[in-house]
């Protein structure tokens, strides 16, 4: 019995190497590639950093001492008004 290998198998075989190559290009490409490609790698990394920063700016960091800090500020204000 003969198994037919189609286009889908070839695409699946290329995904991992292309993904790894792209990550290496963006991460450290500016250190060892020649001039035109090194600038593209550095600018790609800067753009990706900006994109990820922009996506994560909407999240707030949970501060479990928020209420305590507010109470301390109020107590300090009340103390300063008494003086």
């Amino acid at each position: 019995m003969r198994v037919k290998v189609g286009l889908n198998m070839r695409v699946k075989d290329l995904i991992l190497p292309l993904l790894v190559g792209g990550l290496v290009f963006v991460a450290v490409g500016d250190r060892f590639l020649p001039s035109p490609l090194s600038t593209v790698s550095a600018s790609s990394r800067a753009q990706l950093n900006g994109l990820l920063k922009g996506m994560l700016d909407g999240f707030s960091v949970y501060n479990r001492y928020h209420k305590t800090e507010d109470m301390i500020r109020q107590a300090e204000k009340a103390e300063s008004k008494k003086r």
Side-chain angles (χ1 to χ4, degrees):
M1 181 176 220
R2 191 171 171 191
V3 177
K4 194 174 187 182
V5 177
L7 181 64
N8 291 337
M9 192 66 169
R10 291 182 195 149
V11 171
K12 289 178 184 178
D13 291 340
L14 290 177
I15 289 175
L16 184 63
L18 288 176
L19 186 63
V20 170
L23 287 174
V24 168
F25 175 74
V26 170
V28 292
D30 58 331
R31 295 184 185 152
F32 64 88
L33 290 173
S35 180
L37 292 176
S38 66
T39 55
V40 171
S41 173
S43 66
S44 299
R45 185 173 54 251
Q47 287 178 353
L48 282 173
N49 284 341
L51 177 71
L52 291 175
K53 266 188 190 176
M55 289 173 56
L56 296 176
D57 278 343
F59 293 104
S60 63
V61 178
Y62 177 70
N63 182 3
R64 63 188 223 184
Y65 302 112
H66 180 71
K67 290 180 183 178
T68 306
E69 290 172 352
D70 285 342
M71 291 172 66
I72 292 171
R73 280 191 214 108
Q74 289 175 359
E76 288 173 348
K77 283 182 186 178
E79 187 67 30
S80 66
K81 287 182 180 179
K82 287 182 182 179
R83 291 183 185 177

